[in-house]
Amino acid sequence: MSDAAPGEGIFPDAAFLVLSSRLIPGLDGGYTIATAARARQMAAHGADVQVLTVDPADAETHAAHRAEFARLGMLPAGIPLRNLFDEASAPGGGAAAWLRTAASAPEPPRVNHVPPSAPVGDVDIRSTRQEVVHSSEEPDSYRELTDAEGRAYAALPVIQGNPDWHLSTAPVRVYDEAGGTVGTLDGFGGLYRAWLDHLVEESDRPVVVICESRQLGELLAGWSNPRARIVHAIHTMHLEPPYTPDAPLNALWTRWFAVSDRFDAVIWPTQAQRDDVQSRFGGDAVNLVSPHGIRLPAVSDHVREPGLVVSVSRLAPGKRIDHLVRAFLAADVPGTRLEIWGDGPSTASVAEQIAALDAGDRVALMGRTDDPAAVLRRASLMVTATAYEGQGLSIVEALAAGCPVVSYDVRYGPGDALRRGGGLLVPAGDERMLADAIRRVLTDAPLREHLAADAPVAASAWSEDAAMAALAAAARLALSAPPRR
């Protein structure tokens, strides 16, 4: 377990496992940053915390990830970063003892509490629940897993061309030291649940799993261990365009909502998203608010650069960087420039747009930064034209740095943050009004100074202390009741 002393701080006396499908430095944008930050902040507030991943890379790759997280200060060495596949083989060859035991014993029946008629809001969960619990198909092939000596210890089914491969119940084969098959597990879910059962046995205290991945949550919805509770964290939007509260659900979310009442608590990053979900679906799920916390640095204006506008985000279609570029140029404020920080699949198209508009002297692609706070301390204004958000970490980070923000008023995050002060909201997708708001902030010094003064106060609602207090309360609530599976 971690170096934090059990029971100290605000968290209940339990072992905390922050579970992610993968956690790789520089990959998956805000998800990786937020997940690592949550674990780091939990440890700083007295939680006994470990980070778990189920990414089937080799041990050398995982060691490099650990070293890079430590170098960046994202996960201190005192917080264990453990991987299922690093621990699944035995020193003498074959699978580890816990994996052999799980494979040679029948898995307990999956929990499947579906009432005779069980619609969740406008989602009928009866057929969906069957899909989650019983999805199976013949694998195309098997991928053998080998230890550092090249000895096979297990084999994973390969399900090609199916985005729901993780739901397959095609058997995972488990080998002994001679390469013989000990037994099988019920798909990837059976493998993950066996590891968690092993980790629960390691602890002499209750265990709280902070599940950071929707796909993993689907596989754990039927996991029953009387000493464990699952607090499921949400990172992103659950809606499709036009992103109104009654908009169609993403198909993956439809499946997730069918099992959301199985978690001991679900924590949403904003009050607005939690309220929309509760109003639309109601039901028995325990829906709480626990945002991703940010560090509140001391604000210093001596590094602020007049006229510098920045964007800090992943460059992906949903971020609508093209809107931002056009609106900035349309604002047409002399002596200003735009720095676009981040990378992603839209990098090339944004570069082409800047060239086509002959705007290279005023708009620059800066690439990825490992220190967004330093960028935001320099900026006079941050602008985001995103189509949707989960929480909008960069907005809150800008406010914390005393940098005013102009944003489209989209679900979820910008409104929750900027209605407290520190920035301006404009109707979603309205480039003209976005340009007007940029011009207004850059040319009205009293307004800009007022927004900058309000920004750190608005950001305080997302401080590390506030976020950890909410998470600790969710953990206490989960531990105070019987498990929901």
Side-chain angles (χ1 to χ4, degrees):
M1 297 296 176
S2 73
D3 292 339
E8 291 185 356
I10 63 174
F11 281 87
D13 185 14
F16 288 85
L17 307 177
V18 175
L19 176 64
S20 176
S21 51
R22 67 184 183 188
L23 205 64
I24 301 175
L27 195 65
D28 300 324
Y31 171 86
T32 298
I33 294 170
T35 299
R38 191 180 336 257
R40 185 178 66 247
Q41 293 164 18
M42 290 174 68
H45 285 75
D48 177 13
V49 62
Q50 303 182 64
V51 179
L52 311 179
T53 67
V54 295
D55 168 31
D58 57 59
E60 184 178 356
T61 299
H62 294 143
H65 294 165
R66 293 184 191 96
E68 182 65 2
F69 277 129
R71 184 188 72 80
L72 295 172
M74 295 175 69
L75 278 178
I79 300 177
L81 176 55
R82 301 174 64 176
N83 177 269
L84 183 159
F85 296 98
D86 291 350
E87 303 183 4
S89 59
W98 63 266
L99 185 50
R100 295 191 201 187
T101 300
S104 61
E107 187 176 15
R110 300 286 300 280
V111 175
N112 186 13
H113 294 301
V114 186
S117 178
V120 178
D122 55 338
V123 179
D124 185 346
I125 69 171
R126 289 168 292 184
S127 60
T128 307
R129 179 87 73 176
Q130 291 298 109
E131 177 188 356
V132 172
V133 176
H134 298 296
S135 175
S136 64
E137 61 182 280
E138 287 298 316
D140 298 286
S141 61
Y142 271 85
R143 172 190 173 188
E144 284 207 333
L145 304 175
T146 57
D147 61 18
E149 305 299 324
R151 299 169 298 197
Y153 64 87
L156 301 179
V158 176
I159 312 294
Q160 295 180 339
N162 184 352
D164 298 329
W165 58 268
H166 62 291
L167 296 176
S168 172
T169 55
V172 172
R173 298 170 181 166
V174 177
Y175 303 143
D176 61 21
E177 64 275 9
T181 300
V182 173
T184 63
L185 292 168
D186 187 17
F188 297 94
L191 176 62
Y192 303 159
R193 293 187 293 271
W195 189 41
L196 287 176
D197 278 327
H198 168 63
L199 297 179
V200 171
E201 290 303 310
E202 285 187 346
S203 176
D204 59 0
R205 288 171 291 143
V207 171
V208 178
V209 177
I210 310 293
C211 182
E212 303 279 1
S213 163
R214 185 181 61 236
Q215 291 87 348
L216 288 177
E218 292 170 1
L219 295 175
L220 298 184
W223 177 52
S224 180
N225 189 307
R227 295 181 51 229
R229 302 292 187 275
I230 300 175
V231 175
H232 199 305
I234 304 300
H235 286 259
T236 189
M237 164 73 72
H238 63 283
L239 301 167
E240 294 284 4
Y243 307 117
T244 54
D246 59 350
L249 292 181
N250 177 284
L252 299 179
W253 278 96
T254 301
R255 190 171 60 215
W256 180 88
F257 274 112
V259 296
S260 64
D261 62 342
R262 298 293 91 208
F263 307 118
D264 300 290
V266 178
I267 52 175
W268 300 88
T270 66
Q271 185 71 42
Q273 190 174 16
R274 184 266 176 201
D275 288 351
D276 280 356
V277 166
Q278 191 67 30
S279 175
R280 180 171 179 176
F281 299 110
D284 295 328
V286 181
N287 292 309
L288 307 173
V289 179
S290 180
H292 302 293
I294 64 162
R295 190 169 298 160
L296 300 180
V299 175
S300 175
D301 286 332
H302 76 278
V303 295
R304 195 81 60 197
E305 297 181 20
L308 175 59
V309 180
V310 301
S311 166
V312 182
S313 74
R314 186 166 182 264
L315 302 191
K319 298 300 182 181
R320 297 195 288 200
I321 305 298
D322 56 329
H323 287 222
L324 167 62
V325 172
R326 288 192 295 267
F328 170 77
L329 295 174
D332 196 25
V333 179
T336 61
R337 64 195 187 284
L338 171 63
E339 292 182 355
I340 300 172
W341 290 87
D343 58 15
S346 296
T347 300
S349 63
V350 174
E352 292 171 2
Q353 179 192 23
I354 294 169
L357 294 171
D358 193 24
D361 58 335
R362 296 192 59 202
V363 181
L365 279 172
M366 307 299 292
R368 192 171 71 88
T369 177
D370 292 328
D371 191 2
V375 173
L376 294 165
R377 285 194 296 269
R378 292 172 44 236
S380 292
L381 176 66
M382 190 190 90
V383 182
T384 175
T386 186
Y388 58 88
E389 279 291 351
Q391 177 176 322
L393 278 174
S394 63
I395 292 175
V396 182
E397 289 171 339
L399 296 176
C403 175
V405 177
V406 168
S407 173
Y408 281 153
D409 189 6
V410 298
R411 284 177 167 79
Y412 289 97
D416 291 70
L418 297 183
R419 287 189 183 92
R420 300 169 183 264
L424 301 179
L425 292 164
V426 301
D430 192 326
E431 291 185 34
R432 182 186 63 79
M433 292 195 69
L434 189 66
D436 289 347
I438 293 171
R439 184 184 308 111
R440 183 181 171 198
V441 175
L442 291 175
T443 59
D444 187 336
L447 170 65
R448 188 170 63 253
E449 292 167 4
H450 174 72
L451 295 174
D454 283 350
V457 179
S460 64
W462 284 268
S463 69
E464 293 183 1
D465 287 348
M468 291 300 101
L471 181 57
R476 284 193 298 272
L477 180 64
L479 289 168
S480 69
R484 296 173 66 89
R485 293 163 307 285

